[in-house]
Amino acid sequence: MAVDELNFLIGGPQGAGLETTAQVLTFSLAHSGYWVISEREYHSNIRGRHSYIHFRVGRKRPLALTYPLDLLGAMDAETIFTHFKSLEENSYLVYDESSIDKTYKQIPSMEKHLKEILEMEIGEKTVGSIVEYLRSEKGVNTVGINFPKVLSRLSKEFDLSPSQASRYVSSILIGAVSGLMNLKEQSLRKALENRFGGRKKLMKQNLFLIKLVSDSVKEKHGTPIEMNPVRNQERELLVVSGNEIVAMGKLVAGVRYESYYPITPAADECFFLETLDLDSSLVVFQTEDEISAICSAIGAALTGTRSSTSTSGPGFSLMVEALGWAGMNEVPIVITYYQRGGPSTGQPTRGSQSDLLFSIFASHGEFPRIVLSSGDHLEAFKDSVMAFNLAEKYQVPVIHLLDKFLANSIVTMPIPELNLDITRGLVDEKTNAYKRFSLSENGISPRKFLGEEVMWYTGNEHDELGHVSENPDIRRKMYEKRMRKLRLMDKEISQEERAKYYGSEDADFLLVGWGSVKGVCLDAINHMNGAYLHVRFFSPFPRRRVSSILENFDSEKIIFVEHNYIGQLRKLFLMHRLNAGGSIVKYTGRPMYTNELIKGIKTILEKGKRKVVLELGP
Amino acid sequence: MAVDELNFLIGGPQGAGLETTAQVLTFSLAHSGYWVISEREYHSNIRGRHSYIHFRVGRKRPLALTYPLDLLGAMDAETIFTHFKSLEENSYLVYDESSIDKTYKQIPSMEKHLKEILEMEIGEKTVGSIVEYLRSEKGVNTVGINFPKVLSRLSKEFDLSPSQASRYVSSILIGAVSGLMNLKEQSLRKALENRFGGRKKLMKQNLFLIKLVSDSVKEKHGTPIEMNPVRNQERELLVVSGNEIVAMGKLVAGVRYESYYPITPAADECFFLETLDLDSSLVVFQTEDEISAICSAIGAALTGTRSSTSTSGPGFSLMVEALGWAGMNEVPIVITYYQRGGPSTGQPTRGSQSDLLFSIFASHGEFPRIVLSSGDHLEAFKDSVMAFNLAEKYQVPVIHLLDKFLANSIVTMPIPELNLDITRGLVDEKTNAYKRFSLSENGISPRKFLGEEVMWYTGNEHDELGHVSENPDIRRKMYEKRMRKLRLMDKEISQEERAKYYGSEDADFLLVGWGSVKGVCLDAINHMNGAYLHVRFFSPFPRRRVSSILENFDSEKIIFVEHNYIGQLRKLFLMHRLNAGGSIVKYTGRPMYTNELIKGIKTILEKGKRKVVLELGP
Amino acid sequence: MARSKEYRSNVWIDWCPGCGNFGIISALYRALSEMGLDRRKVVLVSGIGCSGKTPHYVNVSGVHTIHGRPIPFAIGIKLSNLDLKVIVHGGDGDLLGIGSGHFVSLGRRNSDITVIMHDNGVYGLTKGQASPTLSKGIKTKGLARPNLQDPINPVALALTSGYTFVARGYAMRTDHLKELIKEAVKHKGSSFIDVLQPCVTYNDVNTVEFYDMRVYLLNEEEDWDPSEVELTEAFEKSLEWGERIPIGVFYKRRRKTFEERIGEQIPKYLEAPPSKEKITINGKPIIDREQFRRIFSRNIVRVLD
Amino acid sequence: MARSKEYRSNVWIDWCPGCGNFGIISALYRALSEMGLDRRKVVLVSGIGCSGKTPHYVNVSGVHTIHGRPIPFAIGIKLSNLDLKVIVHGGDGDLLGIGSGHFVSLGRRNSDITVIMHDNGVYGLTKGQASPTLSKGIKTKGLARPNLQDPINPVALALTSGYTFVARGYAMRTDHLKELIKEAVKHKGSSFIDVLQPCVTYNDVNTVEFYDMRVYLLNEEEDWDPSEVELTEAFEKSLEWGERIPIGVFYKRRRKTFEERIGEQIPKYLEAPPSKEKITINGKPIIDREQFRRIFSRNIVRVLD
Ligand SMILES: Cc1ncc(C[n+]2csc(CCOP(=O)(O)OP(=O)(O)O)c2C)c(N)n1
Ligand SMILES: Cc1ncc(C[n+]2csc(CCOP(=O)(O)OP(=O)(O)O)c2C)c(N)n1
Ligand code: SF4
Ligand code: SF4
Ligand SMILES: [Mg+2]
Ligand SMILES: [Mg+2]
């Protein structure tokens, strides 16, 4: 019984090698031509707290994650206690046989609240009794492996100390999963090579362990979840996280200055850029704080450099003042803004889409800006290029909204098309009497760069030369010149680019979403007769297009899907005098899953509810 | 021909004593029982740039400033070139006869753009020819005084050096104005005493000069703009700026900690608090930046102290991150936010109302807050008290919006009623097992203060004890607990308090405004058959009340009046699914004047325009 | 003397096994218990980072603030309630990176606050970027390339900023550190302890072995009296970093605290600081019309009859 | 040598008559003209304050930023265009109050930037509050009560932070100041000049008379060689503030600049820094599919046929 698609999850303590497991499995699957999407959940912690990676693998490209699971791979007891409810009939559980006597009370890393819930639900049960319950009552296939035994085989084979051997636990899971899925050895090898590079010994030891486990699992259980073979159109696949694809986009766009102050979930983008081996002189600069990050990026932009900074909520909050300077001085900078759970430090490693309205209105005073967001990896790539083009064309700060879900999702995808336009906006060619802020009709004053000409900038209101002016007439003219760009951008940037419609013309209902909910919305409408309106720009807001789409739906058939509490996109629609219907929101910090979204849609459509709050996922 | 009301303006270089002139005149007028309102316009400069103070004085309380002027008192030539167009028939000009040969080209402090305009409009004209033009063609009464001569009389009388004497120029204007108005000597004396305290010599010298000028003016011109006597109901009047009245309100409210980093137009509030001679231990603390200001204010609030910080746009932009911490930790702090012209440094000494939407959505993530604004001095006083009460009752940060116009307006008013309620919200009385964030039904968890009990706070999502938790269930519950306060506040805070209606039931049109436009709107509707809806709370927004008022008006009869470009209050109405009509906006940084507002209203009502941009005032 | 266990909270400590922070927190538990401080009167204020989690592990009040800002929070707490012992736990990124402006400012004030810096050379919680104390040219595990920036010398910076108690401890010498903490907390004025803290996960250069070889006690090996040495001597000493790294108290003076200075200007302050003052009588303001008239007399005009 | 007038802009200078800033700006005009720098290649970066207005008065490029942040702006400008001479003009509030974190960080980098601090002891443009350099206990005109905070010693702080050129000038000695500015601008690395600047309107303590009586030249009256003195000596010297106040160069070293350090890691950097690099060919990205595959090879999997 081979399958076309597989949902699985591996879990274990932070820092114990889960990422290695995931990486190797993903590369192996990609090598065999399968499409993968996965997302990682972890605590704001370096070692010890529970972490897991949720996968969906398909012969066709999967769009989103979903429950229940076909397979749960547990590195430790905490994983079992945390996830056993996600298993249903015929699914598989891989677990450590040596942990069967553990109860959740013996797990110090487990959060109090989960313990309280377990206390009520299962009382004193051990891992063993959970496994037994799953097997006998739920029809779950349980695959026990004695981790210590397997590791001691490894120790003996390679003469490793027990503590050295314990670092290979990630390969036990790889072995078990690849056994059950019957992954090709060739694919595994490739994946291990990629992971361990030239380090031959590591390769060998891991491969040994993987085969050991894989063989024994196959022996006992066969290869029950082997996937049907696929003939992928692509000769090569990119295996890439959201952070990485943005970095790739920026590099293609020609970024040459990226400043940052480390913060989850943005820093991985900068770190990735730092590790690249480039011919060009890209400066990736770790500053003393986010204020310095944005100020120095603005400084770099004044010299004509494509420059950007990446951050998340707390960092962006600190950038707000300088953002206004960029607005006042019409400086093209790109702020890549990865949303995470707020307010304040909030849930630093969990996802959210609760900074939309803040992005649009951040900083005192009024100035045009572009705020856009990307719904998936390919969009994120293209938008990273477009962000710079638009920033320079309109000489405005661009806020590119992403979120933790996307940042920490690893997907397989074709190498994106690189034949993109790089447009750098209006540049002054004349030599004399340059005026940086010439009062032009459409609001765009030709740029020149520091070093080429004498020019002045100031955050005060200023005249055409950039000198401070408090004259009310100058004030009005300059203010209006800047604000004229709002209209210009709205006229020039394609409405279709700014809001995309997916689904048939005669859909029964319309989902409206933004950012990373795209995948789950598309997945849901594939299962129902719905359509999806994907809003990509919030400023300038594509009112015309959105309005014409909304007209086709009754208000009760319009459902906003967002990761926040107040329904921020919905509020924005209202502000633009647009119809707004019901809302499906989630704010636990976990991604939306197709199964719960579908259920939520039904609740709204069938039971006439106006708001559904999702809460799936541990 | 005595008058009931007088509009006048005095101008001169920054730092030359204009404020003394204004203060003495205001106190004199108050002493004689008249009502005064005045506003000061000045550059971001310490000495030399043109500054002016615009007054309206009445037997009844004036509500707003207006043009044209009845009197212009010019300390220097720049004042004449800047303001001569505001004079019309029968008005008075007081000027320095020794400056008649000056052209505007000889005035280095004058801004380039004004010079360019003058170049086009009047060419090479001297002060003398402007004066002549006013006299002969416009019917303005010109009152020439030879300043140097008058000052040399002073020098001789008191044996002062010329440079010493030049510091008394403020009293020449006082003399001229008080002569023309026939101010009572007794009133002037009182005012001088107040200004110069025990410094007898200064009193004497100034009085000498004032009488000298006053007598000679009276001799030549009589007392043409003497005001009709008034019998004021009040035995005492408060002469107070917006900054000062807020400080008074805070003190009455029981503020004991006020942190700040100096910024226009907020610092005067803090400075005023610092100078007071108090029995209580109010700490007014100048921090190293605004981040420290808000963080330390939050720290103080955790100990149970009523604490606040005052700032304007650039400072608030820096406070945004910590604001979120206060939201997450349900800390009652008051942020007094004086809006000024933005974006960025913008127009630091000019007025604006362009930070409304920013205040409502500032900081990443979502949390309840109160955002309110005051329309005049009495409101500002009461709101300063209410802000603390609400902050403590709902355990939320309160943003109290004011603006430069109000801050720098000096008015006479009765001493406000002090019999106000001080309510400190729910405080825990039990001793054991205190949980700072107990999951209460209405969202309010009883407070205790640092020092009384062991408790924890964190900007991370947390459990009832205040310890970090990433459990999705806890997350949802705590999030919802906080957000429940939105509903509670909306239920409990009177809708009538949050939006006030002025005018008759059967008004022809409705102005909608907020903050300091209150006065000018009320003034305008007094001249027309209009009504005014004064919105005081933006969060929680008084939707019910506002909606029921709007229902009485056709959309074309609803006019929003705001000091910003995009019509921020109007946008907020839309967001709350409310009808929104036309807009009258101003963004030159100068206040709105009754005469231009009335004209603007007519343009909308009669010509069917949707938007009018005002621009009066130099 | 309270038992050190009383100062532990019930929260599981999620630092990496072997982390130097364990040394710091056990020194802290013991210092608190030896001083026998009332748990309600001690407030730990932290920033964000591995170090920032400290307050949750201690059974005294804790304020876990935002990155870089524990000092400003601490000042607000201290100035408004003088009964409290306020101790800041910050990372080196927290206090000397994003928060260095506040660090410098605290020195200027000499407010009675103790700052304990978890000096691990890295940004632990964000996965090992260079912190401001990491030496130039060093490439720790988490870095893509060797560190480009010179380190800040925390002791020198504290001395320059005006801290009146400046010390260095080492997380693995908990006895010594415990004594330093006690002395710092007892010191009246701004006190600072730079604690060398091995980060076993990301800093593979400044390890336990690294420090064990180099660290020596200031007062043991030299004739060092921190109350006597000149500022310049202390500064010079602070520059010693290489083969030998001194720990102990570099400098110590008794100067007027910020609170004492405020007390000189506001008579009632020391006895009834902000949090202790009554602000209402029967739900009404304490200020009545008469008081209002006195306080604001300069703003009041008697109208002519 | 260009004429000093060429470096003046047409903007009216709106400082108070007699302000020490006039001395600073005339020293600057002269320094620029004596160095004959290309006006397009000099960028003045300022914060907000009376001092912040400086760039508008000078006919070279000017970037008048926000309060406290001129240093970060300057770094971005410098790192992306190495041709530019970047000079920061900041107030004492700007650089040592709100901006002190950036001030410290610049020292760590030794980026080739000159910082000129207008040290007037007050927040001029906001009407005379105490700045971080005002001595404790002093009550200048604009203060309601005597200053509660100890001053920061700017020279000591710069030394501690790692600036490789640290000097003090006096606004009323424009000749000397001009030379300092030239030397600082020519110095490779982060240079700092603390300029004593009388504020005639608000600082009635640190007046021209005050300084005239106290100021003396380091190199005249002593055998002071800034390239030779030890850091500790310079530090000790910086503590001298009272009857006598030294001006001149305290300390000077040639060390690798930040830009040079980056150049060691990025081969092309010194010759083609960010602003000089081509990023497009015929409106398309410079990176083609082959380059993309090479750069990101670790992310690319060949699919099994
Ligand atoms: C404003 C802001 N920027 C960035 C971060 C991300 N952040 C979390 S911890 C940390 C650094 C921690 O380093 P350090 O202060 O040295 O503490 P450690 O973890 O090493 O104890 C950073 C940058 C944040 N929380 N807030
Ligand atoms: C974020 C922010 N806070 C406060 C201000 C207000 N402000 C303008 S100038 C200034 C201080 C100026 O003092 P200093 O830096 O010493 O310059 P000086 O005027 O003395 O030259 C301040 C606080 C501001 N512009 N921005
Ligand atoms: S990352 Fe380093 S500092 Fe953080 S807990 Fe682990 S060992 Fe300690
Ligand atoms: S306030 Fe002081 S620093 Fe500012 S211009 Fe006037 S004298 Fe100069
Ligand atoms: Mg650290
Ligand atoms: Mg200053």
Side-chain angles (χ1 to χ4, degrees), chain A residues 55 73 139 231 351 357:
Chain A
F55 292 79
R231 208 158 178 82
L357 294 170

Side-chain angles (χ1 to χ4, degrees), chain B residues 27 31 194 235-237 239 244 256 279 281-282 288 296 303 325 420-422 451 453 455-458 467, chain C residues 41 55-56 61-62 64 72 80 102 105 109 266 268 272 277 283-285 293 298-299 301-304:
Chain B
F27 274 89
H31 186 259
N194 182 295
R235 286 179 42 243
E236 316 177 292
L237 286 175
V239 179
E244 289 166 352
R256 286 299 176 269
D279 296 328
S281 56
L282 165 65
E288 62 275 22
S296 76
T303 69
W325 196 94
L420 301 159
D421 290 331
I422 305 289
E453 192 56 77
M455 63 190 84
W456 290 273
Y457 290 94
T458 173
H467 287 309
Chain C
K41 305 290 181 198
H56 297 287
S61 280
H64 179 192
S80 52
H102 311 302
S105 297
R109 299 186 182 126
I266 305 181
K268 221 179 143 188
E277 265 214 338
K284 298 294 171 186
R293 293 183 69 252
R298 292 207 48 195
N299 291 79
V301 180
R302 272 199 86 80
V303 178
L304 245 180

Side-chain angles (χ1 to χ4, degrees), chain C residues 26-293:
Chain C
S26 79
L28 179 69
Y29 291 142
R30 289 171 53 205
L32 293 174
S33 85
E34 290 183 16
M35 289 186 285
L37 296 176
D38 181 342
R39 296 191 297 105
R40 297 166 306 175
K41 305 290 181 198
V42 181
V43 183
L44 302 188
V45 187
S46 70
I48 298 291
C50 296
S51 45
K53 298 176 174 182
T54 309
H56 297 287
Y57 306 146
V58 187
N59 198 2
V60 301
S61 280
V63 184
H64 179 192
T65 71
I66 44 181
H67 190 44
R69 319 301 171 194
I71 288 178
F73 275 83
I75 289 197
I77 294 167
K78 181 72 201 180
L79 290 187
S80 52
N81 186 341
L82 302 175
D83 292 347
L84 302 177
K85 289 278 176 208
V86 180
I87 304 173
V88 167
H89 281 268
D92 40 9
D94 210 84
L95 293 172
L96 300 183
I98 191 168
S100 51
H102 311 302
F103 182 83
V104 170
S105 297
L106 179 57
R108 297 178 53 210
R109 299 186 182 126
N110 198 32
S111 183
D112 189 13
I113 290 172
T114 297
V115 177
I116 298 176
M117 189 173 87
H118 300 225
D119 183 354
N120 57 9
V122 293
Y123 283 22
L125 196 54
T126 49
K127 301 196 297 192
Q129 299 85 356
S131 91
T133 62
L134 191 70
S135 295
K136 188 174 66 189
I138 283 191
K139 185 177 164 323
T140 46
K141 265 191 223 170
L143 297 184
R145 296 154 194 247
N147 184 22
L148 281 175
Q149 315 198 26
D150 271 303
I152 288 182
N153 181 326
V155 171
L157 189 64
L159 291 169
T160 306
S161 305
Y163 286 77
T164 49
F165 178 100
V166 180
R168 183 186 285 135
Y170 172 35
M172 301 293 124
R173 300 237 186 144
T174 53
D175 260 349
H176 178 254
L177 181 57
K178 175 204 71 184
E179 290 301 323
L180 284 184
I181 294 175
K182 281 164 61 183
E183 199 178 340
V185 171
K186 285 178 189 156
H187 174 77
K188 280 225 157 283
S190 296
S191 51
F192 173 63
I193 311 176
D194 173 27
V195 187
L196 306 172
Q197 176 238 315
C199 163
V200 292
T201 301
Y202 295 115
N203 192 332
D204 49 355
V205 175
N206 307 113
T207 57
V208 173
E209 299 72 50
F210 177 93
Y211 287 125
D212 279 349
M213 274 178 51
R214 292 168 169 82
V215 157
Y216 74 95
L217 294 180
L218 256 179
N219 58 346
E220 248 180 29
E221 307 204 3
E222 305 202 20
D223 176 26
W224 189 267
D225 182 348
S227 314
E228 288 296 328
V229 293
E230 292 296 323
L231 185 63
T232 304
E233 280 177 84
F235 179 84
E236 179 157 32
K237 192 46 138 177
S238 78
L239 301 180
E240 185 174 348
W241 182 272
E243 291 311 291
R244 285 165 60 76
I245 299 173
I247 61 174
V249 184
F250 284 74
Y251 185 77
K252 184 175 176 173
R253 289 292 189 279
R254 175 71 172 97
R255 297 224 183 85
K256 262 184 207 146
T257 64
F258 200 50
E259 295 74 30
E260 289 164 341
R261 299 177 203 171
I262 294 175
E264 289 174 356
Q265 292 190 356
I266 305 181
K268 221 179 143 188
Y269 176 72
L270 293 176
E271 140 220 344
S275 69
K276 302 293 170 93
E277 265 214 338
K278 228 171 119 166
I279 60 164
T280 156
I281 304 176
N282 301 327
K284 298 294 171 186
I286 252 187
I287 294 182
D288 61 17
R289 198 169 168 100
E290 270 332 288
Q291 283 176 294
F292 188 93
R293 293 183 69 252

Side-chain angles (χ1 to χ4, degrees), chain B residues 46, chain D residues 14-16 19-21 50 120 122 124-125 197-202:
Chain B
I46 300 301
Chain D
D14 75 356
W15 288 322
C16 308
C19 174
N21 283 329
C50 297
N120 57 8
V122 293
L125 196 55
Q197 176 237 316
C199 164
V200 293
T201 302
Y202 294 115

Side-chain angles (χ1 to χ4, degrees), chain A residues 236 239 256 281 288 421, chain D residues 102 109 272 277 284 293 299:
Chain A
E236 315 178 291
V239 178
R256 287 297 176 268
S281 55
E288 63 274 21
D421 290 330
Chain D
H102 312 303
R109 300 185 183 126
E277 265 216 336
K284 298 292 171 188
R293 293 183 67 253
N299 292 80

Side-chain angles (χ1 to χ4, degrees), chain A residues 110-328:
Chain A
M110 189 182 275
E111 282 201 304
K112 200 175 71 176
H113 192 72
L114 181 54
K115 285 185 176 168
E116 284 164 10
I117 292 175
L118 288 173
E119 168 122 48
M120 276 167 31
E121 290 182 355
I122 63 166
E124 289 285 286
K125 281 216 181 79
T126 60
V127 168
S129 52
I130 296 282
V131 170
E132 182 49 31
Y133 155 81
L134 288 174
R135 201 187 55 72
S136 60
E137 295 191 26
K138 299 284 288 183
V140 173
N141 304 292
T142 57
V143 182
I145 298 170
N146 191 310
F147 285 23
K149 266 203 195 136
V150 172
L151 291 174
S152 80
R153 284 277 304 270
L154 178 77
S155 306
K156 275 194 205 117
E157 185 78 18
F158 295 96
D159 200 18
L160 301 173
S161 73
S163 92
Q164 282 175 315
S166 73
R167 288 194 213 127
Y168 291 71
V169 75
S170 53
S171 280
I172 301 182
L173 280 193
I174 300 174
V177 175
S178 64
L180 294 169
M181 292 183 74
N182 201 21
L183 292 185
K184 297 203 178 68
E185 188 177 325
Q186 192 186 354
S187 297
L188 277 167
R189 259 183 206 286
K190 278 278 171 206
L192 287 168
E193 259 167 35
N194 182 295
R195 175 74 185 84
F196 297 110
R199 289 170 292 172
K200 291 261 165 65
K201 210 161 81 190
L202 275 177
M203 273 280 301
K204 215 168 130 188
Q205 291 163 349
N206 279 289
L207 204 56
F208 168 85
L209 198 59
I210 291 169
K211 285 185 68 176
L212 183 74
V213 175
S214 166
D215 289 349
S216 94
V217 164
K218 278 188 201 165
E219 201 175 304
K220 249 204 228 136
H221 303 273
T223 58
I225 51 173
E226 178 170 4
M227 291 186 69
N228 285 317
V230 65
R231 208 158 178 82
N232 201 311
Q233 306 279 20
E234 306 293 327
R235 287 180 41 242
E236 315 178 291
L237 285 175
L238 201 55
V239 178
V240 73
S241 73
N243 286 134
E244 289 167 351
I245 197 79
V246 170
M248 291 174 179
K250 286 186 176 186
L251 198 71
V252 168
V255 72
R256 287 297 176 268
Y257 189 92
E258 164 124 328
S259 51
Y260 76 104
Y261 186 73
I263 194 161
T264 310
D268 283 351
E269 179 205 311
C270 312
F271 184 74
F272 183 75
L273 282 173
E274 273 174 343
T275 53
L276 299 176
D277 177 21
L278 300 174
D279 297 328
S280 63
S281 55
L282 165 65
V283 172
V284 183
F285 177 33
Q286 182 187 328
T287 53
E288 63 274 21
D289 62 15
E290 286 89 351
I291 296 176
S292 181
I294 187 170
C295 291
S296 77
I298 295 172
L302 297 180
T303 70
T305 303
R306 282 203 156 175
S307 99
S308 71
T309 181
S310 282
T311 192
S312 63
F316 184 77
S317 279
L318 287 171
M319 293 181 179
V320 160
E321 192 200 1
L323 174 69
W325 196 94
M328 186 58 138

